[in-house]
Amino acid sequence: MSADTAVRPAPATGRRVPVHLPAFWLLLVLLAAGAAKVTLLLHGLFARYPAATVTAVALFALYAVPFWLFVTALDYLEREPPLLLAAAFAWGALVATAAAIPGATAAHNLVAKLTSPRYAAAWGSAVVGPTVEEVLKALGIVVIVLVARAQVNSVLDGVVYGALVGLGFQVVENIVYAVNAVALAGNGDRVGPVVATFFLRGFLAGLWSHALFGALAGAGIGYAVISARRRRSTRIAVAALALCGAWLCHFVWNSPVLVDGVGWGPYGVLLVLLLKGVPPLVGILLLVRVAREREADYYAAHLAELDDPEISTEGERRALSVGKLRSDARQYAYTSAGLRAGHAVRRLQRAQARLAVELSRAHDCADAGCADAACTEGAQGCRSPWVDRWRAEVLDQRARLRVLGHPEAVPPQPRPRDWRRWAGPAAGALALLLAWAAIRALGGS
Amino acid sequence: MGVGRRLGNLLGSAGVLAAVASIAFGLPAVDRAIPAGRPVPAGEPYEIGGGVTLVPPAGALLDVTKSRPGPDRGTALFLIGAVRCAVVAAPFTGTLEEAAARLRDKITATRGYQVTGREADVRTQSGLVGRQGGYTAPGRGGRYAVYLAGPVVVEVTISGTDLELRDVLRTIEESITTIARTGTPSPARAGP
């Protein structure tokens, strides 16, 4: 995939509510039906276990916030419309769960009828879970494409929408599992099993769960959408391959293989959880990284074409493409020139990102003979008023930074063997160990 | 947008709707069309799960959709005509009285279900001790029994109309006395 086909910028006029599209009404109707069904389900749980249900909803709603922020921040340069992001999340939370409950139950039954209760008990979840759930989640991404095809303009966009569909599914499924754990415990309306489920499914299983599988399927669909120059069969094959990958990751995670922890007790179980979960997590994060770099390169090239250090320097363009480098640049400005410099760097980065996107749109607009309503033909070719607006904002923030004595928004030079490089993985490992200890303390297994 | 693209959007939407409907309604319809009852070998112990076994009542069918034998827990539903006999084995750390109280709570949690009479002490052929009682519900009635088998509790609930129960209750009670525990439960797991 060349840089030309890695990204296809959304037209500035593509954010109207598409009431003329059948897919828009399909989405609305299915969301309403799913909302009704999930509300009934939660109402039934609340009637029997009010404290446990409220606790589960609150815990998993809070749990979704950092996931949401992380996923949406992946696509910093060209942010997706919030309504579309919410629609993706809602599809997973309402439509996919509402359809998966009867579908998965029936599929489980069919597995038992066609094989045996023993096989169904052992392998039913591994076979049925991915088959029903991954398909339903992938359909959510397809609906997003049908509703707003112009907004899915890179593989990364597919990742973002897929991850959010998966996150929505994950949240509602976890709430149901948590309250079911209370029912299984048989000790009345207690929150203990909810908290244990929160640690177990939220932390030990949460990092490599539906959001991850959905991201992989979304990457394939994103590729199929943007690769207009490829043959249709190739695009469909890539999307199908990504969906199969999501299915396989889900299957491996649900499979009963090594479920007893290779005979090493709880530590063996933890090891198996990591063995099943970490490889897909690392693989999909690498895929996301490649997709993000391709998108960043595409937009950074438009900034670089201006060849104006007042607009962006090479170091700033490099920092713009990676969340950690952006954050480091803000932190560096804050420590070396104060809070106002930190804020100015944040605004400069946002303005540079918006300018890059508008430049790419104007470029596409020129290719189309300035036919888009959002750009006009002038003395210097196609011109969008948004380009001028964001260029002015960039220059404004640059001037502010210059006054503050910190003219360039770049991260500090990395020091050799900087311990902070290991802070993230170490914090992740510590969180897993703490979650494991908490589950053991709460009596979970 | 051209007519062609709008038609494509319509066809795509119809495809999505068909796929969602086939999962939400189609799969359950296929499931309902295939009977769930399977004959079980007469006189042979059936493994409920969690190392617990039981010799099913003569002529009983096993509802394979409601039966899930597992290493640490399990369920089995036997159908004897219109009478249902559900057996659940699960890890438990309390006393027999606590287990009996928990089962009573489960039964009476369903609207209209009431426990009747006093419980009696019972014992299986393998020496497991338990408690047994009866309950009523609108148009139905039944028996329940609970046994402690080491770290596992075994709950049995039998339900049917009075007429149906009268014909098969003795057979089922004989079956219940064959409950035994033969294995050691192993830990459960978590998954998406």
Side-chain angles (χ1 to χ4, degrees):
Chain A
M1 189 166 56
S2 70
D4 284 344
T5 59
V7 182
R8 198 186 57 194
T13 52
R15 297 196 174 195
R16 291 180 302 219
V17 178
V19 291
H20 59 290
L21 290 177
F24 172 75
W25 296 104
L26 172 77
L27 177 63
L28 274 192
V29 168
L30 289 182
L31 284 180
K37 182 145 187 177
V38 171
T39 303
L40 274 177
L41 172 72
L42 292 179
H43 182 262
L45 296 176
F46 180 80
R48 293 191 70 180
Y49 307 104
T53 306
V54 169
T55 307
V57 170
L59 281 179
F60 283 107
L62 285 174
Y63 170 82
V65 173
F67 270 86
W68 177 287
L69 294 176
F70 175 78
V71 171
T72 53
L74 285 177
D75 199 7
Y76 177 82
L77 288 165
E78 196 198 14
R79 299 254 170 169
E80 302 305 310
L83 262 180
L84 215 51
L85 295 175
F89 182 86
W91 179 280
L94 305 174
V95 181
T97 48
I101 291 169
T105 303
H108 259 284
N109 291 346
L110 287 168
V111 169
K113 289 171 182 175
L114 298 173
T115 58
S116 69
R118 181 172 297 283
Y119 181 86
W123 288 93
S125 295
V127 174
V128 168
T131 306
V132 170
E133 295 166 5
E134 294 311 321
V135 169
L136 282 169
K137 286 184 292 179
L139 288 171
I141 311 166
V142 171
V143 168
I144 293 294
V145 171
L146 288 171
V147 168
R149 189 187 184 99
Q151 296 300 334
V152 182
N153 42 47
S154 67
V155 171
L156 191 59
D157 288 351
V159 167
V160 168
Y161 288 117
L164 285 181
V165 169
L167 180 63
F169 190 92
Q170 193 171 328
V171 165
V172 172
E173 187 191 53
N174 283 349
I175 291 168
V176 174
Y177 268 96
V179 184
N180 279 347
V182 176
L184 270 177
N187 294 320
D189 187 17
R190 305 282 178 87
V191 298
V194 173
V195 178
T197 307
F198 177 69
F199 281 114
L200 185 67
R201 298 187 64 84
F203 288 90
L204 287 182
L207 293 177
W208 29 76
S209 188
H210 293 287
L212 194 71
F213 310 146
L216 181 52
I221 294 171
Y223 176 85
V225 171
I226 64 157
S227 305
R229 292 178 191 171
R230 304 272 177 183
R231 283 188 306 178
R232 176 185 281 258
S233 58
T234 306
R235 291 152 62 193
I236 291 173
V238 169
L241 198 66
L243 181 59
C244 288
W247 186 95
L248 188 65
C249 294
H250 198 160
F251 172 82
V252 169
W253 178 252
N254 276 15
S255 80
V257 174
L258 301 178
V259 72
D260 59 354
V262 292
W264 295 352
Y267 300 102
V269 173
L270 182 60
L271 177 69
V272 170
L273 288 178
L274 294 175
L275 280 176
K276 287 183 173 182
V278 170
L281 177 69
V282 171
I284 294 169
L285 285 180
L286 285 175
L287 174 74
V288 168
R289 184 177 174 161
V290 170
R292 195 170 59 174
E293 282 175 357
R294 280 177 181 272
E295 187 180 278
D297 287 348
Y298 173 83
Y299 286 117
H302 283 285
L303 284 178
E305 270 178 16
L306 297 177
D307 195 21
D308 183 353
E310 285 296 301
I311 297 296
S312 68
T313 65
E314 191 182 343
E316 285 173 346
R317 290 192 293 273
R318 197 168 51 244
L320 208 56
S321 61
V322 182
K324 186 179 181 310
L325 294 182
R326 285 196 306 272
S327 168
D328 286 351
R330 292 195 293 269
Q331 187 66 28
Y332 183 42
Y334 170 70
T335 51
S336 61
L339 186 63
R340 288 166 64 196
H343 286 166
V345 167
R346 179 189 297 274
R347 285 192 288 266
L348 176 72
Q349 289 173 338
R350 176 149 300 180
Q352 286 171 329
R354 296 298 170 271
L355 177 61
V357 172
E358 294 304 335
L359 285 169
S360 68
R361 283 175 180 156
H363 192 267
D364 264 30
C365 194
D367 287 349
C370 297
D372 197 311
C375 62
T376 53
E377 193 166 5
Q380 296 173 311
C382 277
R383 195 99 183 146
S384 158
W386 292 102
V387 170
D388 296 334
R389 183 240 159 120
W390 289 115
R391 177 194 288 271
E393 174 70 11
V394 168
L395 294 175
D396 191 30
Q397 296 305 327
R398 177 77 66 198
R400 190 164 299 185
L401 279 171
R402 209 178 288 286
V403 168
L404 292 167
H406 187 85
E408 193 179 11
V410 289
Q413 290 295 321
R415 284 170 295 180
R417 299 191 181 180
D418 190 345
W419 63 271
R420 284 175 299 184
R421 293 176 64 184
W422 302 100
L430 186 64
L432 278 177
L433 283 174
L434 283 175
W436 180 250
I439 291 161
R440 301 285 298 163
L442 285 162
S445 52
Chain B
M1 175 182 270
V3 175
R5 286 196 69 182
R6 201 167 294 184
L7 183 64
N9 194 276
L10 180 64
L11 289 174
S13 304
V16 169
L17 182 62
V20 172
S22 64
I23 290 173
F25 304 109
L27 279 175
V30 174
D31 177 37
R32 283 191 298 272
I34 301 174
R38 299 281 186 276
V40 280
E44 287 182 21
Y46 176 84
E47 193 173 325
I48 306 297
V52 174
T53 62
L54 163 148
V55 177
L61 294 176
L62 178 73
D63 184 333
V64 292
T65 65
K66 301 286 189 295
S67 303
R68 291 285 185 273
D72 69 321
R73 65 181 68 231
T75 60
L77 177 64
F78 298 102
L79 309 169
I80 311 99
V83 174
R84 296 156 61 91
C85 174
V87 187
V88 178
F92 189 71
T93 52
T95 64
L96 181 60
E97 284 68 32
E98 288 167 344
R102 195 175 75 155
L103 182 55
R104 285 197 301 272
D105 288 345
K106 280 187 194 172
I107 292 168
T108 55
T110 305
R111 185 174 293 181
Y113 279 63
Q114 291 291 326
V115 170
T116 56
R118 296 175 61 183
E119 285 180 353
D121 293 331
V122 285
R123 183 181 286 269
T124 68
Q125 293 168 15
S126 65
L128 301 178
V129 293
R131 308 292 296 271
Q132 180 179 292
Y135 68 91
T136 66
R140 296 180 76 80
R143 293 279 182 89
Y144 67 88
V146 57
Y147 298 91
L148 275 189
V152 177
V153 65
V154 185
E155 299 172 345
V156 183
T157 47
I158 306 157
S159 66
T161 64
D162 287 343
L163 196 62
E164 294 159 355
L165 282 169
R166 194 178 59 193
D167 294 338
V168 297
L169 198 53
R170 188 178 176 83
T171 315
I172 296 174
E173 283 180 339
E174 282 173 5
S175 166
I176 292 171
T177 63
T178 65
I179 289 174
R181 183 161 170 269
T182 57
T184 306
S186 56
R189 65 179 294 274

